[in-house]
Structures are given as structure tokens and as C-alpha cells.
Amino acid sequence: MCAAAKRPVILAGGGAADAGAPLRALAEALDAPVVMTVNGRGTLPAGHPLGVQCSPAMEATTALIEAADLVVAAGTEFGPTDFDFYETGGPRIAGRLIRIDIDPEQAMRGHPADLALICDTGLALEALAASVPPRPAGDGAARAKAARPKPAKSAKMNSWELRVLLATVSYQLIAFLDVLGVSLHKLSP
């Protein structure tokens, strides 16, 4: 599946957070843009030409996912806040789908996979990268660039962009407060 893909895209979620090296190897072998969810940010280094570090719910990013002939979903739940299931129902995956997750129940939720790999995300990404024969760079970096947000001409945000920003900040704040609460609990006598 990977070797035959012409317009592959990788979706990196929190389950890929510790799999940066094999994720990068697969992305570069496939020349595939990597769309990172909030929990998957940093799986590719900032400035990597294949990195798309913006909300998968943004219009250009959704278009990138929908145009892919292969989507490799690595450690992502296809969560409603990451992929805009509330407003648009999320991206339509027209191509083949490989889902990688350590949780078998999670791997079977939502989008039906053509191939579900129930294992450690890093190991699965390593195996997929090893299965892809070398190929010359194609249009992956250009497709990634087209999916990134353009610099704003003004400070105005449309209502959807504002909702995505607020959901992202809210999610990160809740996660921080949870960690803080656990830490404080451990410190108390």
C-alpha cells in the first residue's frame, strides 16, 4: 500500500509522540506531509518541510487529507475537536487508510481501516518505512506548505478559526491543570 501511494499523508496523534524518528523516516521515504494533532505536535521538528503543525480541522489541511490516496493514521483517535466532527463531520478519507494504535478498540472506531496495525506506533512506523523502496522527492513539501496557515493580512479571525483556537487552548489548559493537580497531590502530606 505504501509503495503504491502517489499522494500519501500521515496523521500524527499523541500515540506517535515518542516515535519521532521512525515517523520522520516514513514521511521522508513516502514524501508525505505529516499533519500533527494537538497531542502529536513536535513529532517532526519545527520547520521540517513535510510538517503541518496546524489544526487538522482547518480547511486547507482537511483538503490535503481528503486528496490523499493513502492516509497513515499513527496514534490518533480521530478526535472530534482535532478533526472538526462537530461542524463538518471531519475529513472524508477517500483513499486507503492504515491505522496504527496500541488500543484495538480505538483502532476500530470511526473511519474503517484498510489495514489496522495493533502495536507500538514506533515499531509499526519503522516496519512501514523499511517496506518503502527509495524514491525521489516529489510534491510532498509543496502539499504540506499549501496546507499550512497563511500569514494573516489582519488580526481578524473568522468564527471557525477562533473556535479551533479556543478548543486547542482549553484542551491544553485542562491537561496542564490535571498534571498540576496530580503533582500537588503527591506533594501534600
Side-chain angles (χ1 to χ4, degrees):
M1 257 191 278
C2 290
K6 303 282 186 239
R7 294 176 320 284
V9 170
I10 300 172
L11 306 178
D18 294 328
L23 177 80
R24 182 178 183 161
L26 179 62
E28 291 174 352
L30 290 173
D31 193 37
V34 178
V35 177
M36 293 165 262
T37 68
V38 170
N39 291 328
R41 299 277 159 82
T43 50
L44 277 186
H48 191 287
L50 294 171
V52 181
Q53 296 192 25
C54 62
S55 172
M58 296 186 79
E59 191 174 314
T61 310
T62 298
L64 172 73
I65 296 166
E66 291 179 348
D69 61 347
L70 173 68
V71 174
V72 177
T76 178
E77 299 176 347
F78 283 102
T81 55
D82 283 335
F83 293 95
D84 185 27
F85 288 109
Y86 299 122
E87 192 79 18
T88 67
R92 277 98 185 130
I93 297 177
R96 311 285 304 266
L97 174 63
I98 298 174
R99 286 200 66 178
I100 305 168
D101 207 294
I102 200 159
D103 180 356
E105 289 182 26
Q106 186 59 51
M108 300 304 158
R109 282 190 199 128
H111 294 284
D114 294 289
L115 174 63
L117 302 174
I118 313 301
C119 61
D120 175 82
T121 303
L123 294 175
L125 291 168
E126 284 176 17
L128 289 173
S131 75
V132 177
R135 62 167 87 175
D139 67 346
R143 291 185 301 123
K145 183 178 180 181
R148 292 185 203 115
K150 309 299 178 267
K153 293 180 182 173
S154 71
K156 294 181 181 178
M157 295 179 119
N158 68 37
S159 64
W160 171 242
E161 291 170 328
L162 182 57
R163 283 185 284 177
V164 168
L165 176 64
L166 290 174
T168 301
V169 170
S170 298
Y171 182 81
Q172 291 175 338
L173 179 60
I174 290 168
F176 170 75
L177 292 174
D178 284 345
V179 170
L180 181 62
V182 169
S183 298
L184 292 176
H185 179 69
K186 288 180 180 177
L187 293 175
S188 64

